[in-house]
Amino acid sequence: MALGIDADIAADLADIAAEAARLILPLWRSGLEVISKADNSPVTEADRRGEALILEGLARRFPDIPVISEEDASEGGTPDTIAARFFLVDPLDGTKAFVRGDPHFTVNIGLIDHGRPVAGVVVAPASGELWRTCAEGVLKRHGDGPAELVRTRAWPDGEALALISHTMKTETADALAAQYGFHRREPMDSSIKFCRIAEGAADIYPRHGPTMEWDTAAGHAVLVAAGGRVTTPEGEPFLYGKAREGFRNGWFVARGL
C-alpha cells in the first residue's frame, strides 16, 4: 500500500468526482458567463455547481471530516486552523482552459492527513479519464472501460518531458530546463500534469509560481501513489494544512521516478 491509503475512501471520492464531472461536462463550450473573483481569476457556473455537488457528497459520506474548497474559500475566506485530517476540493481546476474551450480541466478531491496527501482522485471530464489512488497504487479508467494500474516511468535518456504552464515565458522555461535537466517541454493546464507523470507519459512538472493547496492535493496524492514525488525545489517535503498562510503553496517540483 503506497501511502497507507484508505482504498474505500478513494473509491468513494472517485464516485463523487465522477458525478461532478458528468454535471460539468455539458456546460463546457456552452457560453457560460465568466465572472472575475477578487483575485481576478475566473469563475463560472460550472465551478459553483460542481463544488455544491461535491460538498454535498462529502458531507453525506464523511460528515466528520472538514473540507476546504476553492469557491467556498474565495467567497467566505479560509479558517485560521484546520484539523489534522481534512479534504481539499477544486471542483474545476483549469477554469481558464475550460473558458477557452481547451480540454485540460479537471475535478479534484484530495484527503490530507497530518500534512500529507493520503488519497485523491482527479477526473478530466473532456476526455473521460479518471485517476484515483488505491491500495496497490493508482488506478486509471477511461470512460466506462476497465480500470488499470498505472505507474511512473524511469527518466528517459535525452528525452525527458516537462509539463509547463501555457503562460510560462520561453526564457523561464529555458532556465528551468537548465536547472532540472529536462529536454522537451509541453504546455498544459490544470492538475492533469500530475496525472500524466503518474501514468508514465511525462517526467517532471516544475512550478515556480503561485498555487493553492486545493490546486495540487489530489494530483499530488495520485503522483506519489504511482511512484513519483513532490518536493520543494530544495528537496524538502511539500506539505498541506497551511491555514495561517491561507492555504497558499510555495514553489514545488513534481517528478516521476
Side-chain angles (χ1 to χ4, degrees):
M1 186 177 293
L3 290 170
I5 289 166
D6 186 318
D8 293 332
I9 283 185
D12 280 346
L13 297 185
D15 289 342
I16 296 169
E19 187 178 357
R22 288 191 292 271
L23 174 68
I24 288 169
L25 185 58
L27 303 176
W28 182 44
R29 297 177 173 172
S30 67
L32 281 180
E33 180 184 6
V34 182
I35 301 168
S36 291
K37 295 189 284 190
D39 63 358
N40 292 321
S41 62
V43 63
T44 70
E45 189 64 23
D47 299 77
R48 291 170 171 166
R49 291 187 198 178
E51 179 163 295
L53 185 153
I54 292 169
L55 293 181
E56 189 279 330
L58 292 176
R60 184 176 68 250
R61 301 193 195 195
F62 309 104
D64 298 328
I65 303 179
V67 182
I68 302 294
S69 57
E70 180 179 21
E71 303 314 327
D72 185 62
S74 176
E75 295 178 8
T78 57
D80 294 331
T81 61
I82 191 63
R85 190 171 170 85
F86 68 100
F87 289 115
L88 282 163
V89 171
D90 191 342
L92 181 47
D93 185 36
T95 301
K96 291 179 181 178
F98 180 88
V99 170
R100 287 197 307 266
D102 293 348
H104 295 140
F105 57 93
T106 55
V107 178
N108 302 264
I109 309 174
L111 176 64
I112 304 301
D113 196 335
H114 290 85
R116 298 179 182 275
V118 295
V121 58
V122 176
V123 185
S127 65
E129 295 166 288
L130 181 152
W131 300 262
R132 75 165 178 91
T133 56
C134 67
E136 295 80 19
V138 170
L139 286 170
K140 178 184 179 181
R141 106 173 161 247
H142 202 145
D144 295 326
E148 298 182 352
L149 283 169
V150 296
R151 186 100 183 144
T152 55
R153 69 184 182 187
W155 192 279
D157 187 27
E159 291 290 327
L161 174 63
L163 302 178
I164 60 174
S165 168
H166 272 102
T167 59
M168 183 176 288
K169 295 180 179 179
T170 300
E171 56 268 29
T172 301
D174 290 344
L176 291 175
Q179 180 175 353
Y180 295 109
F182 56 83
H183 310 90
R184 299 186 294 127
R185 64 195 72 162
E186 179 180 344
M188 190 174 292
D189 290 293
S190 84
S191 62
I192 202 168
K193 294 189 285 292
F194 292 97
C195 300
R196 294 294 181 226
I197 299 172
E199 68 185 17
D203 304 289
I204 187 169
Y205 164 31
R207 181 71 183 211
H208 287 200
T211 59
M212 304 299 289
E213 291 191 10
W214 47 76
D215 294 322
T216 60
H220 183 163
V222 166
L223 178 54
V224 172
R229 54 197 168 107
V230 181
T231 67
T232 69
E234 297 75 31
E236 297 299 318
F238 191 74
L239 302 176
Y240 294 81
K242 302 179 289 294
R244 292 183 180 179
E245 290 80 43
F247 296 88
R248 294 178 181 86
N249 286 329
W251 293 0
F252 65 83
V253 184
R255 307 170 188 259
L257 292 176

